[in-house]
Amino acid sequence: LGGGVLTAIDGQTNTVISTVDLRSEMPSLALDQKTERMYVTNLISNSSVKYNLLVFDGPDYTKKAKTIATGKYGGSVVVDPVTDKVYVLIAGDNTTDLLVISGQSGEVIDTIDVPTAVYAYHMAIDTATDTIYLVPPGSGTEVTVVDGKSDTVIGEFSVPGATDVQGLVAAPAAGRLYLAYGDDIALLNAQTDTVVASADAGSLPYALALDSRTRNVYAIVGDGSHPTPTTVTALHDSCGL
């Protein structure tokens, strides 16, 4: 996802299977592995600015199934395949909200007020506990916790020493979070709010993803001008999956 192009990659062969040029800014995407639907936050700036959530059907993701208007800038998106809910973070007018969208109907079913008004959050979801985690980018260390059952903010906790935060991903059922900041990826215990382990991932890791079967954490490293995919495996023994 980058440069206005949506690229689908086969995870077994690591080969590109399709590309879709949307000619627009796409800050974030999320995949519903149950329905094979891809959700992409989208910004179109022509004669007027439009903010949308685009929905693509698998397996090659070349067919756009729906366009859902979000009304404000959509920075991050996560999906819960168990509850069929899609969470989209939107920001504007000095406010930040979390939209709750029905995956089946595409309708907004709830709006959650996020305590800190910023234009983007790193967001992760634990589908086993139905818990959503949000952390501001950059030097922010406050993690906001949202209960997906009631769709309400239930707490916050801080990560001491975390600076230049660039990514966040949850380990389902383990009560653990992976947080990318600086040149490290840290493993957090979300129940005790402590760092369990950390690993040097290279230069500025971001865009984290977790394969719960292999317990590999995937990241993009680099300064943004020459991004390089990498795999961090040093945290396996502490993951607790």
Side-chain angles (χ1 to χ4, degrees):
L1 177 66
V5 177
L6 177 65
T7 303
I9 299 174
D10 187 311
Q12 294 182 334
T13 63
N14 291 329
T15 57
V16 175
I17 58 177
S18 69
T19 59
V20 180
D21 188 356
L22 299 179
R23 303 182 183 276
S24 59
E25 180 182 346
M26 300 178 294
S28 181
L29 63 78
L31 173 67
D32 186 330
Q33 297 185 7
K34 184 177 180 180
T35 63
E36 290 192 331
R37 281 198 154 182
M38 180 78 72
Y39 297 88
V40 183
T41 53
N42 174 252
L43 165 62
I44 299 175
S45 182
N46 294 321
S47 58
S48 62
V49 178
K50 298 179 181 179
Y51 304 104
N52 298 313
L53 178 69
L54 305 182
V55 186
F56 292 87
D57 284 334
D60 58 7
Y61 303 102
T62 58
K63 179 184 178 182
K64 185 168 64 175
K66 292 180 181 179
T67 299
I68 303 170
T70 59
K72 296 180 181 179
Y73 181 85
S76 301
V77 57
V78 295
V79 59
D80 189 337
V82 179
T83 62
D84 194 31
K85 290 180 180 179
V86 183
Y87 295 87
V88 183
L89 195 75
I90 62 171
D93 301 325
N94 297 318
T95 62
T96 302
D97 296 311
L98 189 61
L99 294 183
V100 186
I101 298 174
S102 166
Q104 181 177 14
S105 68
E107 296 180 355
V108 176
I109 56 178
D110 206 347
T111 301
I112 305 170
D113 179 51
V114 178
T116 304
V118 297
Y119 269 87
Y121 270 80
H122 299 293
M123 187 161 57
I125 185 168
D126 187 330
T127 55
T129 61
D130 201 7
T131 305
I132 302 97
Y133 300 91
L134 306 94
V135 62
S139 60
T141 59
E142 291 295 328
V143 180
T144 299
V145 185
V146 175
D147 177 21
K149 300 180 183 65
S150 61
D151 290 332
T152 56
V153 175
I154 58 174
E156 293 182 343
F157 65 90
S158 62
V159 183
T163 59
D164 197 21
V165 175
Q166 295 295 332
L168 179 71
V169 68
R176 305 295 173 91
L177 297 171
Y178 290 94
L179 182 70
Y181 59 91
D183 292 335
D184 296 332
I185 296 178
L187 177 64
L188 309 178
N189 185 324
Q191 298 176 343
T192 62
D193 307 340
T194 57
V195 176
V196 178
S198 63
D200 186 349
S203 176
L204 300 176
Y206 65 100
L208 296 183
L210 170 72
D211 186 332
S212 58
R213 293 171 298 178
T214 65
R215 291 185 291 179
N216 283 341
V217 179
Y218 297 90
I220 303 295
V221 297
D223 60 4
S225 59
H226 298 90
T228 303
T230 187
T231 306
V232 179
T233 59
L235 304 182
H236 283 185
D237 292 341
S238 302
C239 187
L241 292 177

